[in-house]
Amino acid sequence: MPCGEDWLSHPLGIVQGFFAQNGVNPDWEKKVIEYFKEKLKENNAPKWVPSLNEVPLHYLKPNSFVKFRCMVQDMFDPEFYMGVYETVNRNTKARVLHFGKYRDVAECGPQQEVDLNSPRTTTLERQTFYCVPVPGESMWVKEAYVNANQARVSPSTSYTPSRHKRSYEDDEDMDLQPNKQKDQHMGARQAGNVGGLQWCGEPKRLETEASSGQQLSSLNLSSPFDLNFPLPGEKGPACLVKVYEDWDCFKVNDVLELYGILSVDPVLSILNNDERDASSLLDPMECTDMAEEQRVHSPPASLVPRIHVVLAQKLQHINPLLPACLNKEESKTCKFVSGFMSELSPVRAELLGFLTHALLGDSLAAEYLILHLISTVYTRRDVLPLGKFTVNLSGCPRNSTFTEHLYRIIQHLVPASFRLQMTIENMNHLKFIPHKDYTANRLVSGLLQLPSNTSLVIDETLLEQGQLDTPGVHNVTALSNLITWQKVDYDFSYHQMEFPCNINVFITSEGRSLLPADCQIHLQPQLMPPNMEEYMNSLLSAVLPSVLNKFRIYLTLLRFLDYSISDEITKAVEDDFVEMRKNDPQSITADDLHQLLIVARFLSLSAGQTTLSRERWLRAKQLESLRRARLQQQKCVNGNEL
């Protein structure tokens, strides 16, 4: 354990120390950041920081140092706060300077009040992100982070005396401040309003926060607070994240690891409630719009806590088995990475065998599934995303649980995934595209608001005859655009905004998919187990956890390898293409050559080779030849195109 726990349990005390030493000199802010950076470099220090992903909110102490692994779901407008403010003692008239950074509420001592007219008051700006847990994060990822975390926490009763052990998922009761508790607070803190700034007698508010998110029956607003998770069934805390530095470096859908100060002061809910009461004096229509925006932007802190960010980094991946940073240069010098690369060949062979069993004995389909799972968009040429490799596995048995269990296998291998059951009802009723709600001034999430490297498995075997209505057609179009262009057009009512993405799409279908795919492989089962669930369960239980972890490392690590083709091999490929065209001009097109190069790329990377060799090129041609022959054979059997 890092020596001295004050930085974990009382980080604001550390900040106060730097502020007291430096006063209004802005250097104190840099010193605070450097201090926490150095603390986190100490032996295993990050593991001692409590995580909002693993620890229920009621176990965390208010104003303690926490971390959060999340995706930026929305970005709110910048807000102003009092960076430095001065308090005056009502009796002695003594003046004290305070900092407002990393705080929602201005703390004052007894007999003190904020001097809002002080010339030493400084107004600064901060950005607010609305962050949610990583959508589709696999259970093995969550478990690995839980097992690695060594933070010592116990239930906190310092701020929720009437709600001992209330989980952050219990959002059905929105009246989070019982009257008795409210009266206790208001006895010590008399609310008031000075110059447009809300404040409390003891402590004072720093800024205008919005509504309480409590029962707003008088305004006919929905009372349960929607946490706006992109995927159904997701659990965990959503957070309002206050960012003070370099917020331009982050964008919507980025996955971040945040370290900061937890703010769950119940006074926020009381103030928001008072603000709601005051707003009822306004024009009813204006009041409704304003209250809805306030409800969304300032939900109860006990439901959506605030994190004041001290340090933030963008995560390249969320695989807990690998170092967080896998840049090209760093991965070359990392002992763990170089050690794993030296034993890549047996890992690939074992993974191929494992997936062959999962695909009912079809080793060719298993080869293509490996290539798909390590594929990633490595660059964009104009609007064309290079490196995407959407695979359509056709020939999947209908009225079977095969596709469901195949997805379970994929879930055990990748860090984040989602299975979209492509039924007429789902296509017509589910929200795929995020859209802007101008009344609440927020981005309402949709199924396709996913972070990079998420595996999206689309199950077409469930599709029955039926009529797609207008939303259904739009959803199919959205999926097609995602697959073809690796982008999602978010709906901003008056216009659409392109959001580039990098999502691995794998389609299971009986015949050829209705959706576009880069590669169709027809499944040829070598066995058909009578009990699919029992077969797949035994397959998973037969794999040692250590071997399964190697598969997980393998599939994540290979996405980050660099790749190139030498001039010599480029010339050989060109000559090969010309030769094939000479023998039969119809046998290969420019698109076919592009497909071959993609297969050759990921085939090389799957063997740990960062350059294309003659051997891998020939193997890519062989795989493509076998795949095409199989499709042709199936076409002849069925008498029509798959």
Side-chain angles (χ1 to χ4, degrees), residues 417-446:
S417 61
F418 178 67
R419 175 175 174 242
L420 173 60
Q421 300 177 56
M422 199 171 172
T423 63
I424 292 292
E425 185 181 3
N426 281 347
M427 298 308 292
N428 284 338
H429 295 106
L430 291 178
K431 302 288 185 189
F432 281 36
I433 302 292
H435 69 275
K436 181 75 173 182
D437 177 352
Y438 285 96
T439 302
N441 192 21
R442 73 162 172 176
L443 183 67
V444 178
S445 63

Side-chain angles (χ1 to χ4, degrees), residues 63-82:
N63 297 322
S64 60
F65 196 68
V66 297
K67 63 183 176 183
F68 186 38
R69 186 177 64 259
C70 58
M71 183 190 82
V72 180
Q73 189 276 320
D74 195 5
M75 292 179 167
F76 295 159
D77 295 331
E79 63 185 28
F80 295 104
Y81 70 100
M82 288 197 291

Side-chain angles (χ1 to χ4, degrees), residues 48-51 54-56 58-61 64-66 149-156:
W48 292 99
V49 180
S51 169
E54 286 94 50
V55 182
H58 57 266
Y59 274 62
L60 295 171
K61 187 179 175 185
S64 60
F65 196 68
V66 297
N149 199 291
Q150 299 172 28
R152 293 172 184 167
V153 291
S154 57
S156 171

Side-chain angles (χ1 to χ4, degrees), residues 2 7-8 39-49:
W7 68 281
L8 286 174
K39 278 293 179 186
L40 289 170
K41 286 178 186 174
E42 291 179 12
N43 190 30
N44 286 332
K47 292 181 180 179
W48 292 99
V49 180

Side-chain angles (χ1 to χ4, degrees), residues 320-334:
L321 306 172
L322 278 165
C325 194
L326 285 175
N327 288 332
K328 306 289 188 297
E329 292 305 314
E330 291 189 27
S331 61
K332 289 176 186 173
T333 57
C334 178

Side-chain angles (χ1 to χ4, degrees), residues 504-516:
N504 280 25
V505 183
F506 183 71
I507 308 165
T508 56
S509 60
E510 189 180 14
R512 183 175 182 171
S513 172
L514 302 173
L515 298 167

Side-chain angles (χ1 to χ4, degrees), residues 180-192:
K180 181 179 178 183
Q181 192 179 348
K182 181 175 175 178
D183 292 342
Q184 280 178 336
H185 281 289
M186 294 309 287
R189 306 174 178 193
Q190 296 298 318

